[in-house]
Amino acid sequence: MTTSLITGATAGIGAAFARRLAADGHHLVLVARDSVRLAERAQELRGRHGVDVEVLQADLTTDGGISAVEARLRGGPLPPVDVLVNNAGFGQRGRFLDAPVEEELRMLTLHCEAVLRLTAAAARGMRERGQGTVINVASVAAFMPRGTYAASKAWVVRFTEGAALDLRGTGVRFLALCPGFVRTEFHERAGMDAERLPRIAWLDADKVVAAGLRDLARGRVVSVPDARYKVAAGLARHIPSRLFGALSTTAGRRYDPKTQ
């Protein structure tokens, strides 16, 4: 029996991972803040795929929330976690200094501290068992200079690469998944006007997950789904940052229903 734990599992890429892994026969541990949505998602997946689904309500911007998930990853009497998907995250609209410092620190806690601690908690047991997978959801923004969000996702990529190198040969696999714009609740929750972006910029969450799992099977550590974003990530190293900043600034404008 393969057990997968997914954070931020009730919507977007996290929900897409839950659907895909349940379809593949994985038993699931779903982690999110909203207990009602967790219960609904669990019931749906049990009914559709016949897998066991645990739910764990936790706010990963808090020490208590991270500690609760760490405890589950360490196992004990419960089945060990074979696949960890660190997906939970949020964004901020606007430029640096537009958001309160307290919110920036919450973001760093979620994107960096939680990923570090949960990866460590899971990987120790995986190393002992000689197998396991950690997927850390980053962003194509990791390759572009764009405030705290991009910086935190750049950390996720480098951290994942470093962990993969340090645990090479142990049977533990790592993947940093770096999608571009994906149609989820992410932008609405951040107060971003996503409708200003052209349709061609958007990716489908299920296809992003499928692409990431294909890259994982090929032994890649960093996955950038879709050729368009692979090109963008490559160009980011050579084109002035202001050109890439223009797109994310447009997407970061506050959503105003009067303009729709």
Side-chain angles (χ1 to χ4, degrees):
M1 178 183 69
T2 300
T3 299
S4 296
L5 186 148
I6 306 163
T7 70
T10 57
I13 294 174
F17 266 111
R19 289 191 295 270
R20 170 60 186 270
L21 296 176
D24 289 346
H26 293 215
H27 297 317
L28 302 177
V29 183
L30 305 182
V31 180
R33 294 182 300 171
D34 189 326
S35 60
V36 173
R37 296 185 72 181
L38 273 173
E40 292 173 348
R41 183 68 62 189
Q43 183 177 5
E44 172 193 346
L45 293 168
R46 290 188 195 108
R48 181 172 298 177
H49 301 289
V51 297
D52 293 337
V53 184
E54 299 175 44
V55 296
L56 177 53
Q57 182 185 14
D59 181 351
L60 296 179
T61 66
T62 69
D63 181 71
I66 298 172
S67 295
V69 182
E70 282 179 313
R72 177 60 186 88
L73 288 167
R74 292 190 184 108
L78 296 171
V81 171
D82 306 288
V83 179
L84 167 63
V85 181
N86 281 312
N87 166 74
F90 69 91
Q92 303 280 17
R93 69 176 183 88
R95 301 174 183 274
F96 180 57
L97 300 184
D98 287 348
V101 170
E102 293 78 10
E103 286 300 297
E104 299 277 72
L105 291 172
R106 286 182 67 243
M107 180 185 291
L108 290 175
T109 298
L110 181 58
H111 293 179
C112 300
E113 181 181 349
V115 169
L116 173 81
R117 289 172 59 180
L118 299 188
T119 298
R124 286 191 177 93
M126 293 175 181
R127 182 177 60 181
E128 291 173 2
R129 296 188 297 274
Q131 62 181 5
T133 300
V134 177
I135 299 172
N136 294 326
V137 179
S139 169
V140 74
F143 308 107
M144 304 172 189
R146 185 58 185 157
T148 303
Y149 177 82
S152 68
K153 293 302 186 179
W155 181 89
V156 170
V157 173
R158 289 304 189 189
F159 167 73
T160 305
E161 290 177 316
L165 182 62
D166 288 344
L167 275 75
R168 184 174 54 187
T170 65
V172 184
R173 301 183 299 171
F174 290 86
L175 182 76
L177 180 60
C178 304
F181 291 105
V182 182
R183 286 209 177 274
T184 68
E185 299 174 2
F186 176 91
H187 300 92
E188 182 180 350
R189 288 179 176 178
M192 298 177 182
D193 185 1
E195 295 304 317
R196 294 179 182 270
L197 289 171
R199 289 185 180 181
I200 196 174
W202 293 103
L203 303 177
D204 175 79
D206 292 304
K207 292 180 180 178
V208 165
V209 168
L213 292 176
R214 283 195 300 270
D215 282 344
L216 177 69
R218 293 167 179 154
R220 294 176 181 169
V221 176
V222 178
S223 172
V224 181
D226 192 87
R228 293 164 292 178
Y229 285 106
K230 285 183 172 67
V231 171
L235 289 176
R237 297 180 176 88
H238 306 289
I239 293 180
S241 60
R242 65 180 180 276
L243 298 180
F244 286 99
L247 179 60
S248 53
T249 298
T250 298
R253 293 173 183 166
R254 177 170 292 278
Y255 175 76
D256 182 358
K258 296 179 182 178
T259 67
Q260 303 305 303

